[in-house]
Amino acid sequence: MESFPDGSRMVRNTISLGELPENLRIQIRIAGGVTFSDGTIERWITAADFDEYGTYTYDMLMPKTSYKTCHFIRVYQGDTLLNKY
């Protein structure tokens, strides 16, 4: 998405879901020196964070030394883990 003078890069990812239960919770956790654009490495999102098309977009900052955005996604309905990606 964008490169900076220090060699770091901002990349954008999107989660798209067809159906959004009201009690949907998604945990996104980043590994390997990459962070979200706000400097954190973990984020919880809910159905309210998705737009009217069922899309959630987030940006990650990759340091110059990183070649991939390794992150894990866990999808919950209420307290029940549905899947891990």
Side-chain angles (χ1 to χ4, degrees):
M1 191 172 98
E2 185 176 354
S3 294
F4 301 104
D6 67 356
S8 61
R9 298 170 309 283
M10 187 71 70
V11 296
R12 179 163 283 168
N13 282 321
T14 302
I15 298 173
S16 294
L17 299 174
E19 195 170 317
L20 297 166
E22 197 172 299
N23 60 350
L24 174 79
R25 297 184 313 126
I26 297 176
Q27 178 193 33
I28 308 170
R29 184 160 178 83
I30 300 176
V34 177
T35 66
F36 288 109
S37 58
D38 64 3
T40 61
I41 61 166
E42 182 177 73
R43 181 172 290 176
W44 284 90
I45 58 175
T46 66
D49 296 304
F50 286 76
D51 67 16
E52 66 270 21
Y53 305 108
T55 301
Y56 176 77
T57 301
Y58 56 100
D59 297 335
M60 294 186 288
L61 183 61
M62 296 175 57
K64 177 175 137 176
T65 57
S66 192
Y67 297 99
K68 54 187 168 182
T69 57
C70 186
H71 59 292
F72 307 93
I73 298 174
R74 290 183 175 91
V75 180
Y76 295 85
Q77 188 166 4
D79 292 329
T80 303
L81 177 63
L82 300 178
N83 216 334
K84 295 185 257 185
Y85 302 95

